Coordinates of all heavy atoms in Angstrom, one line a residue:
M33 N 87.3 102.9 64.5 CA 87.1 102.4 65.9 C 87.4 100.9 65.8 O 87.9 100.3 66.6 CB 85.8 102.9 66.4 CG 85.7 102.6 67.8 SD 86.9 103.2 69.0 CE 86.8 105.0 68.6
P34 N 86.6 100.2 64.9 CA 86.7 98.7 64.8 C 88.1 98.2 64.8 O 88.4 97.2 65.3 CB 85.9 98.2 63.6 CG 84.9 99.4 63.4 CD 85.7 100.7 63.8
K35 N 89.0 98.8 63.9 CA 90.4 98.4 63.8 C 91.1 98.6 65.1 O 91.9 97.7 65.5 CB 91.0 99.3 62.8 CG 92.5 98.7 62.5 CD 92.5 97.3 62.0 CE 94.0 96.9 61.6 NZ 94.0 95.5 61.2
L36 N 91.0 99.7 66.0 CA 91.5 100.0 67.1 C 91.1 98.9 68.2 O 91.9 98.4 68.9 CB 91.2 101.3 67.6 CG 92.0 101.9 68.8 CD1 93.5 101.9 68.4 CD2 91.5 103.4 69.1
I37 N 89.8 98.5 68.1 CA 89.3 97.4 69.1 C 90.0 96.1 68.8 O 90.3 95.4 69.6 CB 87.8 97.3 68.9 CG1 87.2 98.6 69.7 CG2 87.3 96.1 69.6 CD1 85.7 98.8 69.4
E38 N 90.1 95.8 67.4 CA 90.8 94.6 67.0 C 92.2 94.6 67.5 O 92.7 93.5 68.1 CB 90.8 94.4 65.5 CG 91.5 93.2 65.0 CD 91.8 93.2 63.5 OE1 91.0 93.8 62.8 OE2 92.6 92.6 63.0
I39 N 92.9 95.7 67.4 CA 94.3 95.8 67.9 C 94.3 95.5 69.3 O 95.3 94.8 69.9 CB 95.0 97.1 67.5 CG1 95.1 97.2 66.0 CG2 96.3 97.3 68.2 CD1 95.5 98.5 65.4
A40 N 93.4 96.1 70.1 CA 93.4 96.0 71.6 C 93.1 94.6 72.0 O 93.7 94.1 73.0 CB 92.4 96.9 72.2
Q41 N 92.4 93.8 71.2 CA 92.1 92.5 71.6 C 93.2 91.5 71.1 O 93.4 90.5 71.8 CB 90.7 92.1 70.9 CG 89.6 92.6 71.4 CD 88.2 92.1 70.7 OE1 88.2 92.1 69.5 NE2 87.2 91.8 71.4
N42 N 93.7 91.7 69.9 CA 94.4 90.7 69.3 C 96.0 90.8 69.0 O 96.5 89.9 68.6 CB 93.8 90.2 68.0 CG 92.3 89.9 68.2 OD1 92.0 89.1 69.0 ND2 91.5 90.4 67.3
N43 N 96.4 92.1 69.1 CA 97.7 92.2 68.8 C 98.7 91.6 69.8 O 98.4 91.4 70.9 CB 98.1 93.7 68.8 CG 99.5 94.0 68.2 OD1 100.5 93.7 68.7 ND2 99.3 94.6 67.0
R44 N 99.8 90.9 69.2 CA 100.7 90.1 70.1 C 101.5 90.9 71.0 O 101.9 90.4 72.0 CB 101.7 89.3 69.1 CG 101.1 88.3 68.4 CD 102.3 87.5 67.8 NE 101.9 86.7 66.7 CZ 102.7 85.9 65.9 NH1 104.1 86.1 66.2 NH2 102.3 85.3 65.0
N45 N 101.7 92.2 70.7 CA 102.5 93.0 71.5 C 101.8 93.7 72.6 O 100.9 94.5 72.3 CB 103.2 94.1 70.5 CG 104.3 95.0 71.2 OD1 104.1 95.2 72.5 ND2 105.2 95.5 70.6
P46 N 102.2 93.5 73.7 CA 101.3 94.0 75.0 C 101.4 95.5 74.9 O 100.4 96.3 75.3 CB 102.1 93.5 76.2 CG 102.6 92.3 75.8 CD 103.1 92.5 74.3
A47 N 102.5 96.1 74.5 CA 102.6 97.6 74.5 C 101.7 98.3 73.4 O 101.1 99.3 73.7 CB 104.0 98.0 74.2
V48 N 101.6 97.6 72.4 CA 100.6 98.0 71.3 C 99.2 97.8 71.8 O 98.3 98.8 71.6 CB 100.8 97.2 69.9 CG1 99.7 97.5 69.0 CG2 102.2 97.5 69.4
R49 N 98.8 96.8 72.4 CA 97.5 96.6 73.0 C 97.2 97.6 74.0 O 96.1 98.2 74.0 CB 97.3 95.2 73.7 CG 97.2 94.1 72.6 CD 96.7 92.8 73.3 NE 97.3 92.4 74.5 CZ 98.5 91.7 74.6 NH1 99.0 91.2 73.5 NH2 98.9 91.4 75.8
K50 N 98.2 98.0 74.8 CA 98.1 99.0 75.9 C 97.7 100.3 75.2 O 96.9 101.1 75.7 CB 99.3 99.0 76.6 CG 99.3 100.0 77.8 CD 100.6 99.9 78.7 CE 100.6 100.9 79.8 NZ 101.8 100.9 80.5
Q51 N 98.5 100.8 74.3 CA 98.3 102.0 73.5 C 96.9 102.0 72.9 O 96.1 103.1 73.0 CB 99.3 102.2 72.5 CG 100.6 102.7 73.0 CD 100.6 104.1 73.7 OE1 100.0 105.0 73.2 NE2 101.0 104.1 74.8
A52 N 96.5 100.9 72.3 CA 95.1 100.9 71.6 C 94.0 101.0 72.8 O 93.0 101.8 72.5 CB 95.0 99.6 71.0
M53 N 94.2 100.4 73.9 CA 93.2 100.6 75.0 C 93.2 101.9 75.5 O 92.2 102.5 75.8 CB 93.5 99.5 76.0 CG 93.2 98.2 75.5 SD 93.4 96.9 76.8 CE 91.8 96.9 77.6
F54 N 94.4 102.6 75.6 CA 94.4 103.9 76.1 C 93.5 104.9 75.1 O 92.8 105.6 75.6 CB 95.9 104.5 76.1 CG 96.0 105.9 76.3 CD1 95.9 106.5 77.6 CD2 96.2 106.8 75.2 CE1 96.0 107.8 77.8 CE2 96.1 108.2 75.4 CZ 96.0 108.7 76.8
W55 N 93.9 104.8 73.7 CA 93.1 105.6 72.8 C 91.6 105.3 72.8 O 90.8 106.1 72.6 CB 93.8 105.5 71.4 CG 95.1 106.2 71.5 CD1 96.3 105.8 71.4 CD2 95.3 107.6 71.7 NE1 97.3 106.7 71.6 CE2 96.7 107.9 71.8 CE3 94.4 108.8 72.0 CZ2 97.2 109.1 72.0 CZ3 94.9 110.0 72.2 CH2 96.4 110.1 72.2
L56 N 91.3 104.0 73.0 CA 89.9 103.7 73.1 C 89.3 104.4 74.3 O 88.1 104.9 74.2 CB 89.7 102.2 73.2 CG 89.9 101.3 72.0 CD1 90.0 99.9 72.3 CD2 88.8 101.6 71.0
G57 N 89.9 104.4 75.4 CA 89.5 105.1 76.6 C 89.3 106.6 76.5 O 88.7 107.2 77.1
Q58 N 90.1 107.2 75.6 CA 90.1 108.6 75.2 C 88.9 109.0 74.4 O 88.5 110.1 74.3 CB 91.3 109.1 74.6 CG 92.6 109.0 75.5 CD 92.4 109.7 76.8 OE1 92.2 110.8 76.9 NE2 92.7 109.0 77.9
S59 N 88.4 107.9 73.7 CA 87.2 108.3 72.7 C 86.0 108.4 73.4 O 85.7 107.9 74.5 CB 87.1 107.2 71.6 OG 86.5 106.0 72.1
N60 N 85.0 108.9 72.9 CA 83.7 109.0 73.4 C 82.7 108.0 72.5 O 81.6 108.2 72.5 CB 83.0 110.4 73.2 CG 83.7 111.3 74.2 OD1 83.9 110.9 75.5 ND2 83.9 112.5 74.0
D61 N 83.3 107.1 71.9 CA 82.5 106.2 71.0 C 81.9 105.0 71.8 O 82.5 104.4 72.6 CB 83.6 105.5 70.0 CG 82.9 104.9 68.8 OD1 82.1 103.9 69.1 OD2 83.2 105.2 67.7
P62 N 80.6 104.9 71.7 CA 79.9 103.9 72.4 C 80.5 102.4 72.1 O 80.4 101.6 72.9 CB 78.6 103.9 71.9 CG 78.4 105.0 70.8 CD 79.8 105.6 70.8
R63 N 81.0 102.3 70.9 CA 81.7 100.9 70.7 C 82.9 100.6 71.6 O 83.1 99.5 72.0 CB 82.2 100.8 69.1 CG 81.0 100.9 68.2 CD 81.4 100.9 66.8 NE 82.1 102.3 66.6 CZ 82.4 102.7 65.5 NH1 82.4 101.9 64.4 NH2 83.0 104.0 65.3
A64 N 83.6 101.7 72.1 CA 84.7 101.6 72.8 C 84.2 101.1 74.3 O 84.7 100.3 75.1 CB 85.5 102.8 73.1
L65 N 83.1 101.8 74.8 CA 82.5 101.5 76.0 C 82.0 100.0 76.0 O 82.2 99.2 76.9 CB 81.3 102.4 76.3 CG 80.5 102.0 77.6 CD1 81.5 102.1 78.8 CD2 79.4 103.0 77.7
Q66 N 81.4 99.5 74.8 CA 81.0 98.1 74.7 C 82.1 97.2 74.9 O 82.1 96.1 75.4 CB 80.2 97.9 73.4 CG 78.8 98.5 73.4 CD 78.2 98.5 72.0 OE1 78.9 98.2 71.0 NE2 77.0 98.8 72.0
F67 N 83.3 97.6 74.2 CA 84.5 96.8 74.3 C 84.9 96.6 75.7 O 85.3 95.6 76.1 CB 85.6 97.4 73.4 CG 86.8 96.8 73.6 CD1 87.2 95.4 73.1 CD2 87.9 97.4 74.2 CE1 88.4 95.0 73.4 CE2 89.2 96.8 74.3 CZ 89.4 95.5 74.0
F68 N 85.1 97.8 76.5 CA 85.4 97.7 77.9 C 84.5 96.9 78.7 O 85.0 96.1 79.6 CB 85.7 99.1 78.5 CG 86.9 99.8 77.8 CD1 86.9 100.9 77.2 CD2 88.2 99.2 78.1 CE1 88.0 101.5 76.8 CE2 89.4 99.9 77.7 CZ 89.3 101.0 77.0
E69 N 83.2 96.9 78.5 CA 82.2 96.1 79.2 C 82.5 94.7 78.9 O 82.6 93.8 79.9 CB 80.8 96.4 78.8 CG 80.4 97.9 79.2 CD 79.0 98.3 78.8 OE1 78.6 97.7 77.8 OE2 78.5 99.2 79.5
K70 N 82.9 94.4 77.6 CA 83.2 92.9 77.3 C 84.4 92.5 78.0 O 84.5 91.4 78.5 CB 83.3 92.9 75.7 CG 83.7 91.6 75.4 CD 83.9 91.5 73.8 CE 84.5 90.2 73.2 NZ 84.7 90.2 71.9
C71 N 85.3 93.4 78.0 CA 86.7 93.1 78.7 C 86.5 92.9 80.2 O 87.1 91.8 80.7 CB 87.7 94.3 78.6 SG 88.3 94.4 76.9
C72 N 85.6 93.5 80.8 CA 85.3 93.3 82.2 C 84.7 92.0 82.5 O 84.7 91.5 83.6 CB 84.5 94.6 82.8 SG 85.6 96.0 82.8
R73 N 84.0 91.5 81.6 CA 83.3 90.2 81.7 C 84.3 89.0 81.5 O 84.1 87.9 82.0 CB 82.2 90.1 80.7 CG 81.1 90.9 81.0 CD 79.9 90.5 80.0 NE 78.9 91.7 80.1 CZ 78.9 92.5 79.1 NH1 79.4 92.5 78.0 NH2 78.0 93.7 79.3
S74 N 85.4 89.4 81.0 CA 86.5 88.4 80.8 C 87.6 88.6 81.8 O 88.2 89.6 82.0 CB 87.2 88.6 79.5 OG 88.5 88.0 79.4
E75 N 87.7 87.6 82.7 CA 88.5 87.7 83.9 C 90.0 88.1 83.5 O 90.6 89.0 84.1 CB 88.6 86.3 84.6 CG 89.3 86.5 86.0 CD 89.1 85.3 86.8 OE1 88.2 84.6 86.7 OE2 90.1 84.9 87.5
A76 N 90.6 87.5 82.5 CA 92.0 87.8 82.1 C 92.2 89.2 81.7 O 93.0 90.0 82.1 CB 92.5 86.8 81.0
L77 N 91.2 89.7 80.8 CA 91.2 91.1 80.3 C 90.9 92.1 81.4 O 91.6 93.1 81.5 CB 90.3 91.2 79.1 CG 90.8 90.6 77.8 CD1 89.6 90.9 76.8 CD2 91.9 91.4 77.3
A78 N 90.0 91.7 82.3 CA 89.7 92.6 83.4 C 91.0 92.8 84.3 O 91.2 93.9 84.8 CB 88.5 92.0 84.3
Q79 N 91.7 91.8 84.5 CA 92.9 91.8 85.4 C 93.9 92.7 84.7 O 94.5 93.5 85.3 CB 93.5 90.4 85.7 CG 94.8 90.4 86.4 CD 94.5 91.0 87.9 OE1 93.4 90.8 88.4 NE2 95.4 91.5 88.4
Y80 N 94.1 92.5 83.4 CA 95.0 93.4 82.5 C 94.6 94.8 82.7 O 95.4 95.7 83.0 CB 95.0 92.9 81.1 CG 95.8 93.8 80.2 CD1 97.2 93.7 80.2 CD2 95.2 94.7 79.3 CE1 97.9 94.5 79.4 CE2 95.9 95.5 78.5 CZ 97.3 95.4 78.5 OH 98.1 96.1 77.7
I81 N 93.3 95.3 82.6 CA 92.9 96.5 82.6 C 93.1 97.1 84.0 O 93.6 98.2 84.1 CB 91.3 96.6 82.2 CG1 91.2 96.3 80.8 CG2 90.8 98.0 82.6 CD1 89.8 96.2 80.3
F82 N 92.8 96.3 85.0 CA 93.0 96.7 86.4 C 94.5 97.0 86.6 O 94.8 98.2 87.3 CB 92.6 95.7 87.4 CG 92.8 95.9 88.8 CD1 92.2 96.8 89.5 CD2 94.0 95.3 89.6 CE1 92.3 97.2 90.8 CE2 94.4 95.7 90.7 CZ 93.5 96.7 91.4
E83 N 95.4 96.2 86.2 CA 96.8 96.5 86.4 C 97.3 97.6 85.6 O 98.1 98.5 86.1 CB 97.6 95.2 85.9 CG 97.5 94.0 86.9 CD 98.2 92.9 86.3 OE1 98.8 92.9 85.2 OE2 97.9 91.8 86.9
M84 N 96.8 97.9 84.4 CA 97.1 99.0 83.6 C 96.7 100.4 84.3 O 97.5 101.3 84.4 CB 96.5 98.9 82.2 CG 96.8 100.1 81.3 SD 96.2 100.0 79.7 CE 94.5 100.0 80.0
Y85 N 95.5 100.4 84.7 CA 95.0 101.6 85.4 C 95.6 101.9 86.7 O 95.7 102.9 87.2 CB 93.4 101.6 85.4 CG 92.9 102.1 84.2 CD1 92.2 101.1 83.2 CD2 93.0 103.4 83.6 CE1 91.8 101.4 82.0 CE2 92.5 103.7 82.3 CZ 91.9 102.7 81.5 OH 91.5 103.0 80.3
S86 N 95.9 100.7 87.4 CA 96.6 100.9 88.8 C 97.9 101.6 88.5 O 98.2 102.5 89.2 CB 96.9 99.6 89.4 OG 95.5 99.0 89.8
R87 N 98.7 101.3 87.5 CA 99.9 101.8 87.2 C 99.8 103.3 86.8 O 100.6 104.2 87.1 CB 100.7 101.1 86.1 CG 101.2 99.9 86.5 CD 102.1 99.2 85.4 NE 101.7 97.8 85.4 CZ 101.5 97.1 84.3 NH1 101.7 97.7 83.1 NH2 101.0 95.9 84.3
I88 N 98.8 103.6 86.1 CA 98.5 105.0 85.6 C 98.1 105.8 86.8 O 98.6 106.9 86.9 CB 97.3 104.9 84.6 CG1 97.8 104.4 83.2 CG2 96.8 106.5 84.3 CD1 96.8 104.1 82.2
S89 N 97.3 105.3 87.7 CA 96.8 106.0 88.9 C 98.1 106.3 89.8 O 98.3 107.4 90.3 CB 96.0 105.3 89.7 OG 94.7 105.1 89.0
L90 N 99.0 105.3 89.9 CA 100.2 105.5 90.7 C 101.1 106.6 90.1 O 101.6 107.5 90.7 CB 101.0 104.2 90.8 CG 102.4 104.3 91.6 CD1 102.2 104.7 93.0 CD2 103.0 102.9 91.5
R91 N 101.3 106.7 88.8 CA 102.0 107.6 88.0 C 101.5 109.0 88.3 O 102.2 110.0 88.4 CB 102.1 107.4 86.6 CG 103.0 106.2 86.3 CD 103.2 105.9 84.9 NE 103.9 104.7 84.7 CZ 103.8 103.9 83.7 NH1 103.0 104.2 82.6 NH2 104.6 102.8 83.5
I92 N 100.1 109.2 88.3 CA 99.5 110.4 88.4 C 99.7 110.9 89.8 O 100.0 112.1 90.1 CB 98.0 110.3 88.2 CG1 97.8 110.1 86.6 CG2 97.2 111.5 88.6 CD1 96.3 109.7 86.3
A93 N 99.7 110.0 90.8 CA 99.8 110.3 92.2 C 101.2 110.8 92.4 O 101.5 111.9 93.1 CB 99.5 109.1 93.2
I94 N 102.2 110.1 91.8 CA 103.6 110.5 91.9 C 103.9 112.0 91.4 O 104.5 112.8 91.9 CB 104.6 109.5 91.3 CG1 104.6 108.2 92.1 CG2 106.1 110.0 91.2 CD1 105.2 107.0 91.5
F95 N 103.2 112.2 90.2 CA 103.4 113.5 89.5 C 102.8 114.5 90.3 O 103.5 115.6 90.5 CB 102.6 113.4 88.1 CG 102.5 114.8 87.5 CD1 103.6 115.2 86.8 CD2 101.4 115.5 87.4 CE1 103.6 116.4 86.2 CE2 101.3 116.6 86.9 CZ 102.4 117.2 86.2
H96 N 101.6 114.3 90.9 CA 101.1 115.4 91.8 C 101.9 115.7 92.9 O 102.1 116.9 93.4 CB 99.6 115.0 92.2 CG 98.6 115.2 91.1 ND1 97.7 116.2 91.1 CD2 98.4 114.4 90.0 CE1 97.0 116.2 90.0 NE2 97.4 115.1 89.4
N97 N 102.5 114.7 93.6 CA 103.3 114.7 94.7 C 104.7 115.5 94.3 O 105.0 116.4 95.1 CB 103.8 113.4 95.3 CG 104.4 113.5 96.6 OD1 104.1 114.3 97.4 ND2 105.4 112.7 96.8
D98 N 105.2 115.1 93.1 CA 106.4 115.9 92.7 C 106.2 117.3 92.5 O 107.1 118.1 92.5 CB 107.0 115.2 91.6 CG 107.6 113.8 91.8 OD1 107.9 113.5 93.0 OD2 107.9 113.0 90.9
C99 N 105.1 117.6 92.0 CA 104.7 119.0 91.6 C 104.1 119.8 92.8 O 103.8 120.9 92.6 CB 103.7 119.0 90.4 SG 104.3 118.4 88.9
G100 N 104.0 119.1 93.9 CA 103.4 119.8 95.0 C 101.9 120.0 95.0 O 101.4 121.0 95.6
L101 N 101.2 119.3 94.1 CA 99.7 119.5 94.0 C 98.9 118.7 95.1 O 99.3 117.7 95.6 CB 99.3 119.0 92.5 CG 100.0 119.7 91.5 CD1 99.6 119.1 90.1 CD2 99.6 121.2 91.4

């Protein structure tokens, strides 16, 4: 978990950071929750997380619409 958090925080590649944050979000590890709380206190990271989850929500909505759900 610590390595995944380090990647989410510091990797130069935004796609790699995005994947790390996704997998952190899938875990039930309290360290991941602490990391997300820390991100929310940082305005730049909070904006990044908001944009990422907005895109995911839109994709889910499109998927449900395409499937007739």
Side-chain angles (χ1 to χ4, degrees):
M33 191 60 55
K35 185 64 177 171
L36 198 53
I37 290 171
E38 179 191 335
I39 291 168
Q41 284 180 318
N42 302 317
N43 195 285
R44 286 191 201 175
N45 186 332
V48 172
R49 287 195 313 269
K50 182 178 178 179
Q51 283 295 311
M53 293 183 84
F54 171 81
W55 289 113
L56 285 168
Q58 297 300 304
S59 77
N60 289 322
D61 194 303
R63 294 172 290 184
L65 179 58
Q66 289 173 345
F67 169 70
F68 284 120
E69 288 173 346
K70 178 182 172 186
C71 289
C72 289
R73 290 187 199 108
S74 164
E75 188 174 329
L77 283 173
Q79 182 63 30
Y80 175 76
I81 291 169
F82 174 77
E83 289 173 8
M84 181 178 64
Y85 282 106
S86 294
R87 284 186 231 137
I88 291 169
S89 296
L90 178 61
R91 288 180 186 153
I92 290 170
I94 291 169
F95 173 78
H96 282 259
N97 188 41
D98 289 347
C99 294
L101 300 175

